[in-house]
Amino acid sequence: MDKFFSGQFLFVGLLFAGLALYPLFGSSYGLDLVSKIMIYAILAMSLELLVGSTGLVCFGQAAFFGIGAYIAVLFSPESESASLLWLLPASILAAATYALFVGALSLRTKGVYFIMVTLAFAQMAYYVVHDTKLGGGTDGIYLYFKPILGSVIDLNDAKVLYFFTWVFLVWTFVFLAILLRSHFGRVLAGIRINEQRMRASGFSTYPYKLAAFTTSGGIAGLAGFLFAVKDGFVNPEMMSWHLSGALLIMIILGGLGHLRGAIIGAFAFVFLQEFFKSPAIFGDFAKHWQLGLGLTIIACVALLPKGLVGLPEVLRKRLYGSRQPRDAQVVLK
Amino acid sequence: MAETLLKGSGITQRWGGLVAVNKVSIELERGTVHAVIGTNGAGKSTLINILSGEFPPTEGQIQLLGKDATHWSQAKRARQGLGRSYQRNTIFPDFTVFENCRLAAQAQVQRPWVWWNDAQKCKQSVEAANRALELSGLTEVKERFAGLLSHGQKRQLEIAMCLAIQPEVLLLDEPLAGMGAEETDRMLKLLANLKQGHAILLVEHDMDAVFKIADRITVMVNGSVIASDTPDQIRINPDVQTAYLGGH
């Protein structure tokens, strides 16, 4: 376990350090892009808690993200900045509350039914803001004054926002890493592998799953808040199933079952998207970026069954031709 | 008179028109192995599922340690001292043998809200896991990944995970299935050892083993009990001979 942690922390520590230094030389475009990726990484980690850690394939994560974002905008006064001190908790709490509601009902189903029920609840939330007065029609709503914390934190400044997001990225990772090795996290891992055995051992699994679902929703709400504040804008697309699907692709691309996989997946997904969207590289074909992105993702999943997290292992095998699985080596030594 | 730890009375399970278990009553006493035998489809597994709380019976009552447990969830029954093993392995293959037992033991000391503490450093569950491994003879392989164990060891681990929750009653569903002679011997020794402090219900197809270890045998045919007696009496019971043993 300690070994697992040191390897994970070394890589992620370097990544976080790199991200902290990036504003020293990054352009404003780059800063905005990396902020966006960091927010997606937080969101992807919230989904990883459900899919990779607990085995609950949630297809409605965008709803919690969108609720966090909409609360940030709807609760902000029109002509001045709101205080972070209550606006951020309000976003998280609102998303977590909806997750508690959705989880309480959807966790009574299993497998493909669970996927569809979570999707249905997300679509319900989507249609509350889609083309309605509350959601600002199809255009969405602007946030003219971004939240502040006295004179300490002013999120109207792009660099402050960048570091603010960075802090929450690190916090989310550390929080979830600690959570996953606790009593609670081990029970989630047990539920993922064999829920029946967990019940037979004396765990009432439903409250555990509901707690995980609610926590995940709260973190997704945090990501939504950050996104709304970054763009100064929300629109219904933030709650659409496209985003829920993209998030699933991110964590699969990165490698299910690993927190860092969610971060790597978010980076890979957005970079690939930017790459295939670039007219400088693809000219007119950039219009069809989804084709290139889709084919690349199919290739990745086919060649890297454990996701990008498994890339070093695959390369090592290619280079040294070792056929023995790593686990077996550890055991046999 | 020995202490009755688990008591099922008039248990009936209907699936539509089919009566899978028909008015079965059974008592498990501390210090005894009570075997349930019967052909495939006789309702043995259904009975074990009902007793352990996998689903509620259509009719009947269940008492665990003197309390009415008919409406308790499976998890609550387990926490109150009812351990069960499965016919198919239900171990966690990606975890070490030790962690398999430790996680099971954690059910007795659940503190999910202490999210900052490392579960592997939880003293009570570590101690309970080590005891269970010791009892079931798996201490030597405790650092191995459970998925890499031999079949016999996996079956032992299945039992060790039951023991980790420190149960009073053990419901064992075919613990000897697929085992070689040597592995069977080892498992029987383990069961004889466990008999001292526990009440054991054993569902098993290996008749030699059953007659060797059981103190009492209940014979089921088509969901009903046709005989329940000591092994010697069961051996000479004419009903059992025609219905099941075929002159064994």
Side-chain angles (χ1 to χ4, degrees):
Chain A
M1 206 66 187
D2 283 335
K3 202 174 165 190
F4 160 78
F5 262 100
S6 63
Q8 166 155 327
F9 276 123
L10 184 69
F11 172 83
V12 176
L14 287 174
L15 178 70
F16 287 164
L19 287 172
L21 295 175
Y22 180 70
L24 291 178
F25 51 87
S27 63
S28 70
Y29 168 78
L31 224 56
D32 187 68
L33 180 67
V34 177
S35 294
K36 179 170 107 174
I37 297 175
M38 290 197 294
I39 294 169
Y40 277 150
I42 294 173
L43 187 53
M45 279 194 280
S46 79
L47 187 60
E48 165 63 28
L49 174 67
L50 293 182
V51 182
S53 307
T54 320
L56 296 167
V57 182
C58 173
F59 198 4
Q61 203 70 358
F64 312 127
F65 177 72
I67 287 171
Y70 267 87
I71 290 292
V73 173
L74 290 174
F75 280 26
S76 284
E78 258 176 54
S79 52
E80 56 174 334
S81 288
S83 168
L84 262 178
L85 224 44
W86 65 266
L87 191 61
L88 178 58
S91 276
I92 295 174
L93 209 65
T97 306
Y98 190 59
L100 180 68
F101 167 71
V102 173
L105 297 171
S106 62
L107 286 169
R108 297 183 182 279
T109 65
K110 283 201 185 341
V112 85
Y113 299 100
F114 178 78
I115 300 175
M116 288 301 128
V117 171
T118 53
L119 172 64
F121 277 113
Q123 289 302 96
M124 268 171 53
Y126 173 75
Y127 282 108
V128 169
V129 294
H130 178 74
D131 251 344
T132 61
K133 214 176 161 199
L134 176 75
T138 41
D139 297 338
I141 322 169
Y142 284 92
L143 172 70
Y144 295 106
F145 296 92
K146 296 182 178 180
I148 53 169
L149 182 62
S151 55
V152 190
I153 301 173
D154 182 357
L155 296 182
N156 291 294
D157 181 335
K159 273 196 182 166
V160 173
L161 184 84
Y162 181 93
F163 281 113
F164 192 72
T165 307
W166 181 87
V167 166
F168 278 106
L169 174 70
V170 175
W171 176 84
T172 305
F173 178 80
V174 173
F175 169 69
L176 288 178
I178 292 174
L179 185 73
L180 287 177
R181 55 165 213 169
S182 74
H183 269 198
F184 180 70
R186 297 310 291 167
V187 174
L188 297 187
I191 290 173
R192 183 190 71 228
I193 303 172
N194 195 332
E195 186 172 352
Q196 190 184 35
R197 162 53 85 179
M198 293 304 283
R199 275 199 302 267
S201 295
F203 294 101
S204 305
T205 52
Y206 179 75
Y208 276 96
K209 290 193 288 184
L210 187 56
F213 202 87
T214 308
T215 308
S216 168
I219 296 172
L222 163 71
F225 173 91
L226 293 170
F227 207 90
V229 171
K230 181 185 84 65
D231 278 358
F233 172 73
V234 285
N235 72 5
E237 291 314 304
M238 296 178 73
M239 289 205 201
S240 78
W241 65 268
H242 298 91
L243 178 62
S244 298
L247 287 170
L248 280 169
I249 293 175
M250 283 180 205
I251 58 174
I252 291 168
L253 192 62
L256 281 181
H258 305 272
L259 266 185
R260 66 183 189 284
I263 302 178
I264 296 169
F267 271 90
F269 186 87
V270 176
F271 279 149
L272 283 174
Q273 208 176 21
E274 292 292 315
F275 175 70
F276 285 111
K277 265 183 176 175
S278 156
I281 303 170
F282 289 98
D284 270 354
F285 191 71
K287 272 189 296 196
H288 308 294
W289 59 274
Q290 279 157 320
L291 185 64
L293 180 67
L295 289 174
T296 313
I297 288 168
I298 291 172
C300 279
V301 173
L303 296 173
L304 298 169
K306 285 182 185 169
L308 292 169
V309 165
L311 185 63
E313 200 181 321
V314 170
L315 289 179
R316 200 166 34 229
K317 269 187 206 165
R318 277 282 152 83
L319 286 176
Y320 302 110
S322 157
R323 274 159 200 276
Q324 208 166 43
R326 237 176 109 207
D327 288 354
Q329 283 173 349
V330 173
V331 171
L332 296 174
K333 80 171 177 217
Chain B
M1 170 87 191
E3 181 190 1
T4 300
L5 298 182
L6 182 72
K7 186 174 167 184
S9 353
I11 294 174
T12 300
Q13 181 66 49
R14 285 190 209 97
W15 304 116
L18 176 84
V19 184
V21 176
N22 190 10
K23 296 190 190 116
V24 171
S25 295
I26 194 162
E27 289 191 14
L28 305 182
E29 294 169 351
R30 194 190 292 280
T32 59
V33 172
H34 190 142
V36 176
I37 61 174
T39 47
N40 283 327
K44 307 181 302 287
S45 285
T46 308
L47 178 65
I48 246 188
N49 284 338
I50 289 169
L51 291 176
S52 73
E54 209 93 19
F55 42 78
T58 318
E59 283 164 32
Q61 268 90 43
I62 294 153
Q63 278 197 347
L64 178 59
L65 309 177
K67 285 179 236 161
D68 182 6
T70 315
H71 302 291
W72 289 1
S73 69
Q74 183 176 22
K76 181 164 184 194
R77 289 183 208 194
R79 288 196 296 271
Q80 298 288 329
L82 180 68
R84 75 158 292 181
S85 76
Y86 286 87
Q87 193 176 342
R88 289 179 50 230
N89 286 330
T90 56
I91 57 173
F92 303 113
D94 308 343
F95 296 174
T96 62
V97 170
F98 169 77
E99 179 61 9
N100 267 272
C101 288
R102 198 210 57 76
L103 183 55
Q106 192 187 301
Q108 299 296 106
V109 281
Q110 294 185 47
R111 280 182 313 228
W113 49 88
V114 191
W115 61 269
W116 55 90
N117 272 357
D118 188 347
Q120 309 249 335
K121 292 188 179 128
C122 163
K123 243 193 206 156
Q124 291 107 310
S125 60
V126 167
E127 277 167 16
N130 280 329
R131 253 198 315 276
L133 289 170
E134 181 96 45
L135 258 173
S136 48
L138 287 170
T139 305
E140 275 176 32
V141 292
K142 69 186 243 185
E143 295 306 328
R144 278 208 201 168
F145 286 99
L148 298 174
L149 294 179
S150 71
H151 175 72
Q153 286 172 322
K154 282 181 186 163
R155 301 302 295 167
Q156 268 172 279
L157 177 57
E158 183 84 26
I159 309 250
M161 287 168 74
C162 284
L163 296 176
I165 68 168
Q166 295 165 300
E168 310 248 12
V169 182
L170 285 167
L171 310 179
L172 307 178
D173 200 352
E174 298 195 29
L176 301 171
M179 280 193 165
E182 200 181 312
E183 290 172 329
T184 300
D185 274 351
R186 201 181 320 145
M187 182 62 88
L188 285 180
K189 264 185 211 136
L190 169 61
L191 293 185
N193 196 8
L194 291 178
K195 199 163 100 170
Q196 310 308 325
H198 301 90
I200 300 178
L201 177 81
L202 177 70
V203 167
E204 188 47 64
H205 277 298
D206 183 337
M207 283 308 120
D208 293 335
V210 166
F211 280 93
K212 213 184 278 178
I213 195 163
D215 299 289
R216 195 174 179 86
I217 297 176
T218 291
V219 186
M220 284 178 77
V221 173
N222 292 330
S224 303
V225 171
I226 61 161
S228 183
D229 217 321
T230 59
D232 292 339
Q233 291 299 314
I234 290 292
R235 217 187 285 269
I236 56 170
N237 185 315
D239 290 344
V240 177
Q241 288 188 346
T242 42
Y244 181 55
L245 292 174
H248 182 82

